[in-house]
């Protein structure tokens, strides 16, 4: 069944109602943008992962309208290794970010990570296409987004370029929004923001370790706090990236027990941030599978010097788990220390953490910029 040209309007209106009811959407201007933007034209197909790990492509017209106007993240590009390299962000997260960004008429906005162009389309509706600038490292995505946006009469400035450098040609911007995650906020972004301007980005210090942070431009720095709810974007990639594989284990194995939850990256996300600020980078985490039933039996961490640990996912009667580790650098102890520090500080939530970025450093702090937890120098 092919939908009529207007069938999507009812679905878009329902999406607005869903987002309003869930408490994610408050601003009538964004409600109008969502109601008037045919997401299915920007996301004509999406990939859904199958039980065996492969991806199946599904259309979003006709019966697919239900999916494309739902709250789902829609994977829109998958590389040869089966990793998702682009997606249309789930609308509840997208609208929360747009509201946090606090745009006003006449604002010029730079988006890092065009993807399907859906977010750019919403920005065009709200601010006018002349104020919207968006770039993506994938030239094919930019070309497709440009054509599809033009077909609906929206003509933002788009470019295929690495977002790490921003887009100085059109600077300054009043707002910058990054829809891919970065380990460090590039100073180039600060230089392209107006004084008093705002930047919203997902900063991750390890796998899923970090959150969206809202930063304000001061003369000499960007500064602000992490946002209340946790979110994760795909990591920004660059042409010169090298693939990270599983690392061979170094050293002999030692066994001990721990009472800290085995998977803080899924459950205690603030603890996991604190742990990753101390753990060596780049860190890989994964799982060991039961060879017969193929379900995870232990979580794993490993770092470049070969140090590793495995944490059993089953707990004993007294709530502890077995940990095996080896190599020159103890790893799990950082997670345990993070857990105890977090309790010691009254279990701080995301908004108590902040970030300051200057031309040469990035610091993470708790409660106040002077209470620095971690400092890294820009390379
Ligand atoms: C979650 S998707 C963006 C979703 C998009 N805003 C939308 O509305 O569909 C993340 C995007 O970031 C892009 N990306 C990854 N690394 C990048 C880089 N270095 N510079 C610019 N874009 C990048 C990916 O190609 C991908 O399209």
């Amino acid at each position: 069944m092919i939908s009529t040209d207007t069938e999507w309007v009812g679905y878009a209106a329902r999406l607005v109602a869903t987002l309003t009811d869930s408490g994610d959407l408050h601003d009538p201007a964004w409600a109008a943008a969502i109601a008037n933007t045919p997401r299915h034209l920007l996301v004509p197909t999406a990939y859904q992962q199958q039980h065996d790990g492969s991806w199946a492509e599904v259309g979003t017209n006709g019966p697919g309208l239900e999916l494309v106007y739902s709250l789902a993240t829609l994977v829109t590009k998958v590389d040869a290794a089966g990793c998702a390299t682009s997606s249309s962000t789930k609308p509840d997260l997208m609208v929360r970010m747009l509201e946090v960004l606090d745009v006003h008429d006449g604002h010029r906005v730079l988006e890092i990570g065009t993807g399907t162009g859906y977010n750019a389309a919403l920005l065009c509706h709200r601010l006018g296409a002349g104020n919207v600038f968006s770039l993506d490292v994938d030239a094919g995505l930019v070309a497709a987004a440009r054509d599809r946006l033009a077909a609906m009469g929206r003509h933002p400035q788009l470019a295929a370029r690495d977002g790490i450098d921003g887009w100085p040609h059109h600077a300054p911007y009043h707002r910058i929004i990054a829809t891919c995650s970065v380990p460090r906020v590039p100073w180039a972004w600060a230089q392209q923001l107006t004084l008093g301007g705002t930047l919203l980005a997902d900063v991750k210090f390890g796998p899923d370790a970090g959150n969206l942070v809202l930063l304000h431009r001061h003369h000499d720095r960007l500064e602000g706090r992490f946002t209340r709810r946790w979110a994760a974007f795909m990591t920004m990639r660059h042409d010169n990236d090298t693939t990270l594989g599983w690392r061979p284990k170094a050293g002999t194995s030692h066994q001990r027990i721990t009472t800290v939850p085995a998977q803080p990256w899924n459950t205690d996300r603030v603890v996991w941030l604190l742990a990753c600020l101390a753990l060596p980078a780049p860190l890989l985490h994964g799982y060991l599978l039961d060879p017969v039933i193929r379900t995870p039996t232990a979580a794993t961490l490993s770092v470049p010097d070969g140090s590793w640990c495995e944490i059993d996912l089953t707990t004993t009667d007294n709530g502890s788990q077995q940990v095996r580790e080896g190599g020159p650098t103890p790893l799990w102890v950082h997670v345990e220390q993070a857990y105890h520090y977090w309790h010691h500080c009254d279990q701080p939530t995301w908004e108590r953490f902040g970030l300051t970025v200057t031309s040469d450093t990035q610091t993470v702090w708790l409660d106040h910029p002077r209470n620095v937890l971690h400092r890294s120098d820009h390379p």
Side-chain angles (χ1 to χ4, degrees):
M1 184 179 76
I2 301 295
S3 66
T4 64
D5 279 355
T6 54
E7 194 183 350
W8 69 272
V9 173
Y11 284 93
R14 268 204 293 279
L15 177 57
V16 168
T18 305
L19 293 168
T20 306
D21 291 349
S22 65
D24 294 306
L25 173 60
H26 308 88
D27 184 339
W30 290 123
I34 294 165
N36 289 288
T37 300
R39 191 181 187 210
H40 65 292
L41 297 184
L42 295 161
V43 190
T45 60
Y47 292 93
Q48 291 183 321
Q49 195 150 30
Q50 309 299 294
H51 289 304
D52 64 359
S54 65
W55 295 90
E57 197 172 0
V58 293
T60 60
N61 213 329
L65 288 173
E66 188 82 44
L67 173 68
V68 79
Y69 291 97
S70 74
L71 299 187
T73 295
L74 300 170
V75 172
T76 50
K77 193 155 182 182
V78 177
D79 69 13
C83 297
T85 60
S86 192
S87 61
S88 181
T89 308
K90 59 208 299 280
D92 51 336
L93 171 56
M94 203 68 265
V95 78
R96 280 206 305 277
M97 289 174 70
L98 290 171
E99 291 204 346
V100 164
L101 201 61
D102 189 29
V103 299
H104 295 274
D105 291 351
H107 273 176
R108 294 160 60 81
V109 179
L110 173 65
E111 179 192 32
I112 317 280
T114 311
T116 62
Y118 181 61
N119 190 39
L122 298 177
L123 286 163
C124 288
H125 189 276
R126 172 68 185 81
L127 296 168
N131 287 321
V132 180
F133 305 83
S134 180
L135 49 89
D136 200 293
V137 73
D138 184 325
L141 291 176
V142 173
R146 180 179 284 116
D147 289 349
R148 291 168 185 157
L149 285 162
M152 61 178 75
R154 298 184 199 177
H155 303 274
Q157 333 281 309
L158 302 181
R161 48 183 293 144
D162 191 329
I164 197 89
D165 303 319
W167 197 357
H169 184 70
H170 296 288
Y173 309 100
H174 300 90
R175 301 285 183 264
I176 297 180
I177 178 169
T179 57
C180 46
S181 79
V182 287
R184 235 178 243 112
V185 176
W187 186 243
W189 295 0
Q191 290 173 310
Q192 293 167 34
L193 261 184
T194 54
L195 203 58
T198 309
L199 185 156
L200 181 61
D202 179 25
V203 182
K204 291 287 193 289
F205 300 86
D208 283 348
N211 195 3
L212 293 170
V213 64
L214 185 69
L215 300 171
H216 306 283
R217 174 77 157 103
H218 302 260
H219 279 288
D220 57 344
R221 67 193 192 286
L222 293 168
E223 197 161 84
R225 288 178 186 260
F226 287 88
T227 60
R228 189 170 58 85
R229 283 168 63 176
W230 186 79
F233 278 86
M234 50 184 59
T235 309
M236 182 179 257
R237 60 185 189 282
H238 311 283
D239 283 348
N240 55 358
D241 282 346
T242 49
T243 308
L244 293 172
W246 288 109
R247 300 176 175 117
K249 291 173 170 181
T252 43
S253 171
H254 311 281
Q255 184 148 319
R256 64 186 182 89
I257 58 161
T258 184
T259 52
V260 168
Q263 303 180 78
W265 43 87
N266 288 337
T267 50
D268 300 284
R269 296 192 191 273
V270 170
V271 172
W272 182 233
L273 163 71
L274 292 168
C276 282
L277 293 178
L279 279 159
L283 174 80
L284 291 179
H285 86 73
Y287 292 95
L288 298 179
L289 300 184
D290 179 292
V292 180
I293 51 174
R294 311 289 298 163
T295 54
T297 56
T300 62
L301 300 178
S302 64
V303 298
D305 70 4
S307 302
W308 58 275
C309 70
E310 298 169 355
I311 315 98
D312 282 350
L313 297 180
T314 47
T315 46
T316 61
D317 289 344
N318 66 3
S320 61
Q321 294 118 209
Q322 292 287 343
V323 176
R324 291 169 295 285
E325 48 191 347
T329 314
L331 301 182
W332 192 249
V333 67
H334 292 296
V335 182
E336 292 172 321
Q337 284 171 354
Y339 196 71
H340 297 311
Y341 178 74
W342 181 65
H343 277 286
H344 172 75
C345 298
D346 296 329
Q347 305 182 9
T349 50
W350 283 110
E351 311 96 296
R352 283 183 57 191
F353 293 88
L355 195 75
T356 302
V357 180
T358 67
S359 57
D360 48 18
T361 61
Q362 175 171 281
T363 52
V364 182
W365 40 267
L366 177 64
D367 294 329
H368 191 278
R370 281 196 298 274
N371 188 21
V372 172
L373 300 178
H374 181 263
R375 177 191 166 111
S376 54
D377 295 329
H378 288 312

